[in-house]
Amino acid sequence: MTYYNGEDYKSVVSEGLTLVDFYADWCGPCKMLGSVLEDFEDQIKIIKVDIDKYNDLANEFKIMSIPHVKFYKDGREVSSFTGFMDKDMVQEKIEEIKNL
């Protein structure tokens, strides 16, 4: 898992499968989802974006609720969800994206 540090967002998601987790430290469901996502680090690149530090990015994507997750395949956004997802739901979403 990598924490976003202000680098060019488009280059971060440009290659392969990438999951971007928009979160905040004070968000309970974000912490729960973060624990779930740890199990998928070997299947997909995971980037965590702290919306309190990078609120300009959250505003750019019109993220109003967290956790908010975006999935990219070779730089193209292919799916997203808002709220907590359990391990099985995340696995299902990753498999769906792999087969696109």
Side-chain angles (χ1 to χ4, degrees):
M1 214 171 303
T2 304
Y3 287 86
Y4 181 77
N5 63 9
E7 67 267 40
D8 180 48
Y9 185 84
K10 286 183 181 179
S11 69
V12 170
V13 300
S14 65
E15 293 181 16
L17 299 176
T18 307
L19 180 158
V20 180
D21 176 21
F22 290 88
Y23 77 100
D25 288 334
W26 47 264
C27 168
C30 296
K31 291 177 184 177
M32 291 171 27
L33 181 61
S35 295
V36 169
L37 295 180
E38 289 175 359
D39 292 338
F40 297 98
E41 291 181 278
D42 61 335
Q43 294 182 43
I44 190 168
K45 178 170 62 172
I46 299 174
I47 308 296
K48 295 187 65 70
V49 178
D50 184 337
I51 64 160
D52 289 331
K53 281 186 180 176
Y54 300 103
N55 60 352
D56 54 333
L57 199 54
N59 289 335
E60 179 182 333
F61 290 112
K62 297 177 178 40
I63 294 171
M64 303 304 241
S65 298
I66 52 173
H68 184 92
V69 173
K70 292 186 174 293
F71 291 91
Y72 293 86
K73 187 168 186 176
D74 296 326
R76 184 174 60 93
E77 183 179 338
V78 292
S79 188
S80 67
F81 70 85
T82 301
F84 177 76
M85 286 180 82
D86 66 26
K87 186 175 180 176
D88 291 338
M89 294 166 76
V90 173
Q91 181 66 55
E92 186 177 304
K93 187 61 86 172
I94 290 172
E95 292 304 318
E96 174 186 313
I97 290 162
K98 283 180 179 178
N99 295 319
L100 289 178

Short mmCIF file of all heavy atoms in Angstrom, two decimals, residues 6-71:
data_model
loop_
_atom_site.label_atom_id
_atom_site.label_comp_id
_atom_site.label_asym_id
_atom_site.label_seq_id
_atom_site.Cartn_x
_atom_site.Cartn_y
_atom_site.Cartn_z
N GLY A 6 1.30 13.68 -3.33
CA GLY A 6 1.21 14.87 -4.14
C GLY A 6 1.79 14.74 -5.53
O GLY A 6 1.75 15.69 -6.31
N GLU A 7 2.31 13.57 -5.87
CA GLU A 7 2.86 13.37 -7.20
C GLU A 7 1.74 13.46 -8.25
O GLU A 7 0.57 13.54 -7.90
CB GLU A 7 3.61 12.04 -7.31
CG GLU A 7 2.75 10.80 -7.18
CD GLU A 7 2.63 10.23 -5.78
OE1 GLU A 7 2.53 10.98 -4.80
OE2 GLU A 7 2.63 9.00 -5.67
N ASP A 8 2.11 13.42 -9.51
CA ASP A 8 1.13 13.52 -10.59
C ASP A 8 0.16 12.34 -10.52
O ASP A 8 0.56 11.19 -10.72
CB ASP A 8 1.84 13.57 -11.95
CG ASP A 8 0.87 13.67 -13.10
OD1 ASP A 8 -0.04 14.52 -13.04
OD2 ASP A 8 1.01 12.88 -14.04
N TYR A 9 -1.09 12.64 -10.26
CA TYR A 9 -2.10 11.59 -10.06
C TYR A 9 -2.22 10.70 -11.29
O TYR A 9 -2.28 9.48 -11.18
CB TYR A 9 -3.44 12.25 -9.72
CG TYR A 9 -4.54 11.27 -9.40
CD1 TYR A 9 -4.66 10.74 -8.11
CD2 TYR A 9 -5.45 10.85 -10.36
CE1 TYR A 9 -5.65 9.83 -7.80
CE2 TYR A 9 -6.45 9.94 -10.05
CZ TYR A 9 -6.55 9.45 -8.78
OH TYR A 9 -7.54 8.55 -8.47
N LYS A 10 -2.25 11.31 -12.47
CA LYS A 10 -2.43 10.52 -13.70
C LYS A 10 -1.30 9.51 -13.89
O LYS A 10 -1.53 8.40 -14.35
CB LYS A 10 -2.54 11.43 -14.91
CG LYS A 10 -3.86 12.14 -14.98
CD LYS A 10 -3.98 12.98 -16.22
CE LYS A 10 -5.32 13.69 -16.21
NZ LYS A 10 -5.49 14.54 -17.38
N SER A 11 -0.08 9.88 -13.52
CA SER A 11 1.03 8.93 -13.67
C SER A 11 0.94 7.81 -12.64
O SER A 11 1.36 6.69 -12.90
CB SER A 11 2.38 9.65 -13.59
OG SER A 11 2.61 10.12 -12.30
N VAL A 12 0.37 8.10 -11.48
CA VAL A 12 0.22 7.09 -10.42
C VAL A 12 -0.71 5.97 -10.87
O VAL A 12 -0.49 4.80 -10.56
CB VAL A 12 -0.31 7.74 -9.13
CG1 VAL A 12 -0.71 6.71 -8.09
CG2 VAL A 12 0.72 8.69 -8.54
N VAL A 13 -1.75 6.31 -11.63
CA VAL A 13 -2.75 5.32 -12.03
C VAL A 13 -2.58 4.86 -13.48
O VAL A 13 -3.42 4.14 -14.01
CB VAL A 13 -4.19 5.86 -11.82
CG1 VAL A 13 -4.41 6.19 -10.35
CG2 VAL A 13 -4.47 7.06 -12.70
N SER A 14 -1.49 5.23 -14.12
CA SER A 14 -1.35 5.05 -15.57
C SER A 14 -1.11 3.61 -16.03
O SER A 14 -1.41 3.28 -17.17
CB SER A 14 -0.23 5.94 -16.10
OG SER A 14 1.02 5.53 -15.58
N GLU A 15 -0.56 2.76 -15.18
CA GLU A 15 -0.22 1.41 -15.62
C GLU A 15 -0.84 0.34 -14.74
O GLU A 15 -0.82 0.44 -13.51
CB GLU A 15 1.30 1.23 -15.61
CG GLU A 15 2.02 2.06 -16.64
CD GLU A 15 3.51 1.84 -16.62
OE1 GLU A 15 3.96 0.83 -16.03
OE2 GLU A 15 4.23 2.68 -17.16
N GLY A 16 -1.34 -0.70 -15.38
CA GLY A 16 -1.86 -1.85 -14.66
C GLY A 16 -3.15 -1.57 -13.91
O GLY A 16 -3.85 -0.61 -14.20
N LEU A 17 -3.42 -2.43 -12.94
CA LEU A 17 -4.61 -2.28 -12.10
C LEU A 17 -4.26 -1.47 -10.87
O LEU A 17 -3.30 -1.79 -10.17
CB LEU A 17 -5.13 -3.65 -11.67
CG LEU A 17 -5.57 -4.61 -12.77
CD1 LEU A 17 -5.97 -5.94 -12.15
CD2 LEU A 17 -6.71 -4.03 -13.56
N THR A 18 -5.04 -0.43 -10.61
CA THR A 18 -4.79 0.44 -9.47
C THR A 18 -6.09 0.70 -8.73
O THR A 18 -7.11 1.00 -9.35
CB THR A 18 -4.18 1.79 -9.92
OG1 THR A 18 -3.03 1.53 -10.71
CG2 THR A 18 -3.79 2.63 -8.72
N LEU A 19 -6.04 0.60 -7.42
CA LEU A 19 -7.15 0.95 -6.55
C LEU A 19 -6.74 2.19 -5.78
O LEU A 19 -5.68 2.20 -5.16
CB LEU A 19 -7.42 -0.22 -5.60
CG LEU A 19 -8.54 -0.11 -4.57
CD1 LEU A 19 -8.98 -1.50 -4.14
CD2 LEU A 19 -8.16 0.70 -3.35
N VAL A 20 -7.54 3.25 -5.84
CA VAL A 20 -7.25 4.47 -5.10
C VAL A 20 -8.30 4.62 -4.01
O VAL A 20 -9.50 4.69 -4.30
CB VAL A 20 -7.24 5.71 -6.02
CG1 VAL A 20 -6.92 6.96 -5.21
CG2 VAL A 20 -6.23 5.54 -7.15
N ASP A 21 -7.84 4.65 -2.78
CA ASP A 21 -8.69 4.74 -1.60
C ASP A 21 -8.62 6.15 -1.04
O ASP A 21 -7.61 6.56 -0.49
CB ASP A 21 -8.23 3.72 -0.56
CG ASP A 21 -8.99 3.79 0.75
OD1 ASP A 21 -10.11 4.32 0.77
OD2 ASP A 21 -8.45 3.29 1.77
N PHE A 22 -9.70 6.92 -1.20
CA PHE A 22 -9.81 8.25 -0.61
C PHE A 22 -10.35 8.07 0.80
O PHE A 22 -11.44 7.50 0.98
CB PHE A 22 -10.75 9.13 -1.44
CG PHE A 22 -10.17 9.51 -2.78
CD1 PHE A 22 -10.34 8.70 -3.88
CD2 PHE A 22 -9.46 10.70 -2.93
CE1 PHE A 22 -9.82 9.04 -5.12
CE2 PHE A 22 -8.93 11.05 -4.16
CZ PHE A 22 -9.11 10.22 -5.26
N TYR A 23 -9.60 8.55 1.79
CA TYR A 23 -9.94 8.27 3.19
C TYR A 23 -9.58 9.48 4.05
O TYR A 23 -8.99 10.46 3.59
CB TYR A 23 -9.16 7.05 3.67
CG TYR A 23 -7.71 7.38 3.97
CD1 TYR A 23 -7.30 7.60 5.29
CD2 TYR A 23 -6.78 7.54 2.96
CE1 TYR A 23 -5.98 7.94 5.57
CE2 TYR A 23 -5.47 7.88 3.24
CZ TYR A 23 -5.07 8.08 4.54
OH TYR A 23 -3.79 8.45 4.81
N ALA A 24 -9.91 9.37 5.34
CA ALA A 24 -9.46 10.33 6.36
C ALA A 24 -9.16 9.55 7.64
O ALA A 24 -9.81 8.52 7.91
CB ALA A 24 -10.54 11.39 6.63
N ASP A 25 -8.19 10.02 8.39
CA ASP A 25 -7.79 9.33 9.62
C ASP A 25 -8.92 9.24 10.65
O ASP A 25 -8.97 8.31 11.44
CB ASP A 25 -6.58 10.02 10.26
CG ASP A 25 -5.31 9.79 9.47
OD1 ASP A 25 -5.22 8.76 8.76
OD2 ASP A 25 -4.41 10.64 9.54
N TRP A 26 -9.83 10.22 10.64
CA TRP A 26 -10.91 10.28 11.63
C TRP A 26 -12.12 9.43 11.25
O TRP A 26 -13.08 9.33 12.00
CB TRP A 26 -11.35 11.73 11.84
CG TRP A 26 -11.58 12.48 10.56
CD1 TRP A 26 -10.69 13.31 9.92
CD2 TRP A 26 -12.74 12.44 9.73
NE1 TRP A 26 -11.24 13.79 8.75
CE2 TRP A 26 -12.50 13.28 8.61
CE3 TRP A 26 -13.98 11.79 9.81
CZ2 TRP A 26 -13.43 13.49 7.60
CZ3 TRP A 26 -14.91 12.00 8.80
CH2 TRP A 26 -14.63 12.84 7.72
N CYS A 27 -12.08 8.79 10.09
CA CYS A 27 -13.24 8.07 9.53
C CYS A 27 -13.19 6.59 9.93
O CYS A 27 -12.30 5.86 9.48
CB CYS A 27 -13.22 8.24 8.01
SG CYS A 27 -14.35 7.17 7.10
N GLY A 28 -14.14 6.15 10.75
CA GLY A 28 -14.20 4.76 11.19
C GLY A 28 -14.33 3.76 10.05
O GLY A 28 -13.56 2.79 9.97
N PRO A 29 -15.30 3.94 9.14
CA PRO A 29 -15.42 3.01 8.02
C PRO A 29 -14.17 2.98 7.13
O PRO A 29 -13.83 1.95 6.56
CB PRO A 29 -16.64 3.53 7.24
CG PRO A 29 -17.46 4.23 8.27
CD PRO A 29 -16.46 4.86 9.19
N CYS A 30 -13.46 4.10 7.06
CA CYS A 30 -12.21 4.15 6.28
C CYS A 30 -11.17 3.23 6.90
O CYS A 30 -10.45 2.52 6.19
CB CYS A 30 -11.65 5.57 6.22
SG CYS A 30 -12.70 6.76 5.38
N LYS A 31 -11.08 3.24 8.22
CA LYS A 31 -10.13 2.37 8.92
C LYS A 31 -10.48 0.91 8.70
O LYS A 31 -9.60 0.07 8.48
CB LYS A 31 -10.10 2.70 10.41
CG LYS A 31 -9.49 4.05 10.71
CD LYS A 31 -9.56 4.36 12.19
CE LYS A 31 -9.04 5.77 12.44
NZ LYS A 31 -9.15 6.15 13.84
N MET A 32 -11.77 0.60 8.76
CA MET A 32 -12.21 -0.78 8.54
C MET A 32 -11.87 -1.22 7.12
O MET A 32 -11.37 -2.33 6.91
CB MET A 32 -13.72 -0.90 8.79
CG MET A 32 -14.10 -0.74 10.24
SD MET A 32 -15.88 -0.62 10.59
CE MET A 32 -16.68 -1.48 9.29
N LEU A 33 -12.14 -0.37 6.13
CA LEU A 33 -11.84 -0.70 4.75
C LEU A 33 -10.33 -0.84 4.54
O LEU A 33 -9.88 -1.73 3.83
CB LEU A 33 -12.42 0.34 3.79
CG LEU A 33 -12.17 0.08 2.31
CD1 LEU A 33 -12.80 -1.25 1.87
CD2 LEU A 33 -12.70 1.22 1.47
N GLY A 34 -9.56 0.04 5.18
CA GLY A 34 -8.10 -0.04 5.07
C GLY A 34 -7.57 -1.40 5.49
O GLY A 34 -6.68 -1.96 4.85
N SER A 35 -8.15 -1.95 6.55
CA SER A 35 -7.74 -3.29 7.02
C SER A 35 -8.08 -4.35 5.99
O SER A 35 -7.30 -5.28 5.77
CB SER A 35 -8.44 -3.61 8.34
OG SER A 35 -8.01 -2.75 9.35
N VAL A 36 -9.24 -4.23 5.35
CA VAL A 36 -9.64 -5.18 4.32
C VAL A 36 -8.70 -5.08 3.12
O VAL A 36 -8.25 -6.10 2.58
CB VAL A 36 -11.10 -4.91 3.88
CG1 VAL A 36 -11.45 -5.71 2.63
CG2 VAL A 36 -12.08 -5.23 5.00
N LEU A 37 -8.36 -3.87 2.71
CA LEU A 37 -7.55 -3.68 1.51
C LEU A 37 -6.14 -4.24 1.65
O LEU A 37 -5.52 -4.63 0.65
CB LEU A 37 -7.48 -2.19 1.14
CG LEU A 37 -8.80 -1.56 0.72
CD1 LEU A 37 -8.59 -0.09 0.39
CD2 LEU A 37 -9.45 -2.30 -0.44
N GLU A 38 -5.63 -4.32 2.88
CA GLU A 38 -4.30 -4.88 3.11
C GLU A 38 -4.17 -6.28 2.53
O GLU A 38 -3.09 -6.69 2.11
CB GLU A 38 -3.97 -4.89 4.60
CG GLU A 38 -3.72 -3.52 5.17
CD GLU A 38 -3.52 -3.54 6.67
OE1 GLU A 38 -3.60 -4.63 7.30
OE2 GLU A 38 -3.29 -2.46 7.23
N ASP A 39 -5.27 -7.02 2.49
CA ASP A 39 -5.25 -8.39 1.99
C ASP A 39 -5.09 -8.47 0.47
O ASP A 39 -4.91 -9.57 -0.06
CB ASP A 39 -6.54 -9.12 2.38
CG ASP A 39 -6.64 -9.36 3.88
OD1 ASP A 39 -5.59 -9.36 4.55
OD2 ASP A 39 -7.77 -9.54 4.37
N PHE A 40 -5.19 -7.34 -0.22
CA PHE A 40 -5.18 -7.36 -1.68
C PHE A 40 -3.94 -6.72 -2.30
O PHE A 40 -3.86 -6.56 -3.51
CB PHE A 40 -6.44 -6.67 -2.21
CG PHE A 40 -7.69 -7.40 -1.81
CD1 PHE A 40 -8.42 -6.98 -0.72
CD2 PHE A 40 -8.09 -8.53 -2.49
CE1 PHE A 40 -9.56 -7.66 -0.32
CE2 PHE A 40 -9.22 -9.23 -2.10
CZ PHE A 40 -9.97 -8.79 -1.01
N GLU A 41 -2.96 -6.40 -1.47
CA GLU A 41 -1.75 -5.73 -1.97
C GLU A 41 -1.00 -6.56 -3.01
O GLU A 41 -0.29 -6.00 -3.84
CB GLU A 41 -0.82 -5.38 -0.81
CG GLU A 41 -1.38 -4.29 0.07
CD GLU A 41 -0.42 -3.94 1.20
OE1 GLU A 41 -0.43 -4.66 2.22
OE2 GLU A 41 0.32 -2.97 1.03
N ASP A 42 -1.15 -7.87 -2.97
CA ASP A 42 -0.47 -8.72 -3.94
C ASP A 42 -1.24 -8.85 -5.26
O ASP A 42 -0.72 -9.39 -6.23
CB ASP A 42 -0.19 -10.10 -3.35
CG ASP A 42 -1.46 -10.83 -2.95
OD1 ASP A 42 -2.49 -10.17 -2.68
OD2 ASP A 42 -1.44 -12.07 -2.90
N GLN A 43 -2.46 -8.34 -5.31
CA GLN A 43 -3.30 -8.47 -6.49
C GLN A 43 -3.46 -7.17 -7.28
O GLN A 43 -3.73 -7.22 -8.48
CB GLN A 43 -4.70 -8.94 -6.11
CG GLN A 43 -4.76 -10.31 -5.54
CD GLN A 43 -6.18 -10.72 -5.24
OE1 GLN A 43 -7.08 -10.48 -6.02
NE2 GLN A 43 -6.38 -11.32 -4.09
N ILE A 44 -3.32 -6.04 -6.61
CA ILE A 44 -3.60 -4.76 -7.23
C ILE A 44 -2.78 -3.67 -6.53
O ILE A 44 -2.55 -3.76 -5.32
CB ILE A 44 -5.12 -4.44 -7.17
CG1 ILE A 44 -5.51 -3.25 -8.02
CG2 ILE A 44 -5.60 -4.30 -5.74
CD1 ILE A 44 -7.02 -3.09 -8.22
N LYS A 45 -2.34 -2.68 -7.29
CA LYS A 45 -1.62 -1.56 -6.69
C LYS A 45 -2.63 -0.72 -5.92
O LYS A 45 -3.68 -0.37 -6.45
CB LYS A 45 -0.95 -0.72 -7.78
CG LYS A 45 -0.20 0.49 -7.26
CD LYS A 45 0.66 1.16 -8.31
CE LYS A 45 -0.15 1.70 -9.46
NZ LYS A 45 0.63 2.53 -10.38
N ILE A 46 -2.32 -0.42 -4.66
CA ILE A 46 -3.24 0.34 -3.81
C ILE A 46 -2.59 1.66 -3.42
O ILE A 46 -1.48 1.68 -2.88
CB ILE A 46 -3.62 -0.46 -2.54
CG1 ILE A 46 -4.32 -1.76 -2.94
CG2 ILE A 46 -4.50 0.39 -1.62
CD1 ILE A 46 -4.60 -2.70 -1.80
N ILE A 47 -3.30 2.74 -3.71
CA ILE A 47 -2.85 4.09 -3.36
C ILE A 47 -3.86 4.68 -2.40
O ILE A 47 -5.07 4.68 -2.69
CB ILE A 47 -2.76 5.00 -4.61
CG1 ILE A 47 -1.94 4.35 -5.72
CG2 ILE A 47 -2.25 6.39 -4.23
CD1 ILE A 47 -0.49 4.12 -5.40
N LYS A 48 -3.40 5.17 -1.27
CA LYS A 48 -4.29 5.80 -0.29
C LYS A 48 -4.12 7.32 -0.37
O LYS A 48 -3.00 7.81 -0.31
CB LYS A 48 -3.99 5.29 1.11
CG LYS A 48 -4.29 3.80 1.24
CD LYS A 48 -4.18 3.28 2.63
CE LYS A 48 -5.14 3.81 3.62
NZ LYS A 48 -6.53 3.40 3.48
N VAL A 49 -5.24 8.04 -0.48
CA VAL A 49 -5.22 9.49 -0.58
C VAL A 49 -5.97 10.06 0.63
O VAL A 49 -7.18 9.87 0.77
CB VAL A 49 -5.89 9.98 -1.89
CG1 VAL A 49 -5.89 11.51 -1.93
CG2 VAL A 49 -5.18 9.41 -3.11
N ASP A 50 -5.24 10.76 1.49
CA ASP A 50 -5.82 11.42 2.66
C ASP A 50 -6.53 12.69 2.19
O ASP A 50 -5.88 13.64 1.75
CB ASP A 50 -4.72 11.74 3.66
CG ASP A 50 -5.23 12.34 4.95
OD1 ASP A 50 -6.34 12.91 4.97
OD2 ASP A 50 -4.50 12.26 5.96
N ILE A 51 -7.86 12.71 2.29
CA ILE A 51 -8.61 13.86 1.76
C ILE A 51 -8.38 15.13 2.57
O ILE A 51 -8.63 16.23 2.08
CB ILE A 51 -10.12 13.58 1.63
CG1 ILE A 51 -10.75 13.34 3.00
CG2 ILE A 51 -10.36 12.43 0.68
CD1 ILE A 51 -12.24 13.52 3.01
N ASP A 52 -7.92 15.01 3.80
CA ASP A 52 -7.61 16.20 4.59
C ASP A 52 -6.33 16.87 4.10
O ASP A 52 -6.20 18.08 4.14
CB ASP A 52 -7.51 15.86 6.08
CG ASP A 52 -8.86 15.53 6.68
OD1 ASP A 52 -9.88 16.06 6.18
OD2 ASP A 52 -8.91 14.73 7.63
N LYS A 53 -5.39 16.08 3.63
CA LYS A 53 -4.14 16.62 3.08
C LYS A 53 -4.29 17.04 1.63
O LYS A 53 -3.67 18.00 1.18
CB LYS A 53 -3.02 15.56 3.14
CG LYS A 53 -2.39 15.38 4.47
CD LYS A 53 -1.22 14.41 4.32
CE LYS A 53 -0.54 14.17 5.64
NZ LYS A 53 0.52 13.16 5.50
N TYR A 54 -5.08 16.29 0.88
CA TYR A 54 -5.21 16.52 -0.57
C TYR A 54 -6.67 16.78 -0.93
O TYR A 54 -7.25 16.13 -1.79
CB TYR A 54 -4.64 15.31 -1.33
CG TYR A 54 -3.20 15.10 -1.02
CD1 TYR A 54 -2.78 14.10 -0.16
CD2 TYR A 54 -2.23 15.96 -1.55
CE1 TYR A 54 -1.44 13.94 0.17
CE2 TYR A 54 -0.89 15.81 -1.24
CZ TYR A 54 -0.51 14.80 -0.38
OH TYR A 54 0.81 14.66 -0.05
N ASN A 55 -7.26 17.77 -0.24
CA ASN A 55 -8.66 18.07 -0.50
C ASN A 55 -8.89 18.63 -1.89
O ASN A 55 -9.98 18.52 -2.43
CB ASN A 55 -9.26 18.97 0.58
CG ASN A 55 -8.56 20.30 0.68
OD1 ASN A 55 -7.52 20.53 0.06
ND2 ASN A 55 -9.11 21.20 1.47
N ASP A 56 -7.85 19.20 -2.52
CA ASP A 56 -7.99 19.67 -3.90
C ASP A 56 -8.27 18.49 -4.83
O ASP A 56 -9.09 18.59 -5.75
CB ASP A 56 -6.76 20.44 -4.35
CG ASP A 56 -5.46 19.67 -4.17
OD1 ASP A 56 -5.39 18.80 -3.27
OD2 ASP A 56 -4.51 19.95 -4.91
N LEU A 57 -7.64 17.37 -4.58
CA LEU A 57 -7.87 16.18 -5.39
C LEU A 57 -9.27 15.61 -5.13
O LEU A 57 -9.98 15.23 -6.07
CB LEU A 57 -6.79 15.13 -5.07
CG LEU A 57 -6.57 14.01 -6.06
CD1 LEU A 57 -6.28 14.53 -7.46
CD2 LEU A 57 -5.43 13.13 -5.60
N ALA A 58 -9.66 15.58 -3.88
CA ALA A 58 -11.01 15.12 -3.54
C ALA A 58 -12.06 16.02 -4.19
O ALA A 58 -13.06 15.54 -4.72
CB ALA A 58 -11.19 15.09 -2.02
N ASN A 59 -11.82 17.32 -4.18
CA ASN A 59 -12.75 18.26 -4.82
C ASN A 59 -12.78 18.05 -6.34
O ASN A 59 -13.85 18.12 -6.95
CB ASN A 59 -12.37 19.70 -4.51
CG ASN A 59 -12.66 20.07 -3.08
OD1 ASN A 59 -13.51 19.48 -2.44
ND2 ASN A 59 -11.93 21.04 -2.56
N GLU A 60 -11.63 17.81 -6.93
CA GLU A 60 -11.55 17.59 -8.37
C GLU A 60 -12.43 16.41 -8.79
O GLU A 60 -13.10 16.45 -9.82
CB GLU A 60 -10.10 17.32 -8.78
CG GLU A 60 -9.90 17.06 -10.24
CD GLU A 60 -8.45 16.76 -10.59
OE1 GLU A 60 -7.54 17.23 -9.88
OE2 GLU A 60 -8.24 16.03 -11.59
N PHE A 61 -12.46 15.36 -7.95
CA PHE A 61 -13.26 14.18 -8.26
C PHE A 61 -14.66 14.23 -7.63
O PHE A 61 -15.39 13.24 -7.68
CB PHE A 61 -12.53 12.91 -7.81
CG PHE A 61 -11.33 12.60 -8.64
CD1 PHE A 61 -10.06 12.70 -8.11
CD2 PHE A 61 -11.46 12.23 -9.97
CE1 PHE A 61 -8.94 12.42 -8.88
CE2 PHE A 61 -10.36 11.95 -10.75
CZ PHE A 61 -9.10 12.05 -10.20
N LYS A 62 -14.98 15.37 -7.01
CA LYS A 62 -16.31 15.57 -6.39
C LYS A 62 -16.64 14.48 -5.37
O LYS A 62 -17.76 13.96 -5.33
CB LYS A 62 -17.38 15.67 -7.47
CG LYS A 62 -17.19 16.87 -8.39
CD LYS A 62 -18.22 16.90 -9.47
CE LYS A 62 -18.12 18.08 -10.39
NZ LYS A 62 -16.86 18.56 -10.83
N ILE A 63 -15.66 14.15 -4.55
CA ILE A 63 -15.86 13.13 -3.52
C ILE A 63 -16.49 13.80 -2.30
O ILE A 63 -15.90 14.67 -1.68
CB ILE A 63 -14.52 12.45 -3.17
CG1 ILE A 63 -14.06 11.66 -4.39
CG2 ILE A 63 -14.68 11.55 -1.94
CD1 ILE A 63 -12.69 11.10 -4.30
N MET A 64 -17.71 13.40 -2.02
CA MET A 64 -18.48 13.99 -0.93
C MET A 64 -18.58 13.07 0.29
O MET A 64 -18.87 13.53 1.38
CB MET A 64 -19.89 14.33 -1.41
CG MET A 64 -19.89 15.26 -2.61
SD MET A 64 -18.99 16.75 -2.28
CE MET A 64 -20.24 17.94 -2.48
N SER A 65 -18.37 11.78 0.09
CA SER A 65 -18.46 10.80 1.17
C SER A 65 -17.26 9.88 1.10
O SER A 65 -16.76 9.58 0.02
CB SER A 65 -19.74 9.97 1.04
OG SER A 65 -20.87 10.78 1.12
N ILE A 66 -16.83 9.43 2.27
CA ILE A 66 -15.70 8.51 2.34
C ILE A 66 -16.08 7.33 3.24
O ILE A 66 -16.98 7.47 4.07
CB ILE A 66 -14.41 9.20 2.85
CG1 ILE A 66 -14.69 9.93 4.16
CG2 ILE A 66 -13.85 10.10 1.80
CD1 ILE A 66 -13.46 10.50 4.82
N PRO A 67 -15.43 6.20 3.07
CA PRO A 67 -14.39 5.94 2.08
C PRO A 67 -14.97 5.94 0.67
O PRO A 67 -16.11 5.54 0.45
CB PRO A 67 -13.85 4.56 2.46
CG PRO A 67 -14.98 3.90 3.20
CD PRO A 67 -15.72 5.01 3.88
N HIS A 68 -14.13 6.37 -0.26
CA HIS A 68 -14.49 6.36 -1.67
C HIS A 68 -13.33 5.71 -2.41
O HIS A 68 -12.19 6.13 -2.24
CB HIS A 68 -14.73 7.77 -2.20
CG HIS A 68 -15.19 7.80 -3.62
ND1 HIS A 68 -16.52 7.80 -3.95
CD2 HIS A 68 -14.50 7.79 -4.78
CE1 HIS A 68 -16.63 7.80 -5.28
NE2 HIS A 68 -15.42 7.78 -5.80
N VAL A 69 -13.63 4.70 -3.20
CA VAL A 69 -12.59 3.95 -3.90
C VAL A 69 -12.82 4.04 -5.40
O VAL A 69 -13.94 3.90 -5.88
CB VAL A 69 -12.60 2.47 -3.45
CG1 VAL A 69 -11.65 1.64 -4.29
CG2 VAL A 69 -12.23 2.37 -1.98
N LYS A 70 -11.73 4.30 -6.12
CA LYS A 70 -11.75 4.31 -7.58
C LYS A 70 -10.82 3.21 -8.07
O LYS A 70 -9.73 3.03 -7.54
CB LYS A 70 -11.28 5.66 -8.12
CG LYS A 70 -12.24 6.80 -7.83
CD LYS A 70 -11.79 8.06 -8.51
CE LYS A 70 -12.80 9.16 -8.36
NZ LYS A 70 -14.05 8.93 -9.06
N PHE A 71 -11.26 2.50 -9.09
CA PHE A 71 -10.47 1.46 -9.73
C PHE A 71 -10.05 1.94 -11.11
O PHE A 71 -10.88 2.46 -11.86
CB PHE A 71 -11.27 0.17 -9.90
CG PHE A 71 -11.59 -0.53 -8.61
CD1 PHE A 71 -12.75 -0.26 -7.92
CD2 PHE A 71 -10.72 -1.47 -8.10
CE1 PHE A 71 -13.06 -0.91 -6.74
CE2 PHE A 71 -11.01 -2.14 -6.91
CZ PHE A 71 -12.18 -1.85 -6.23
#
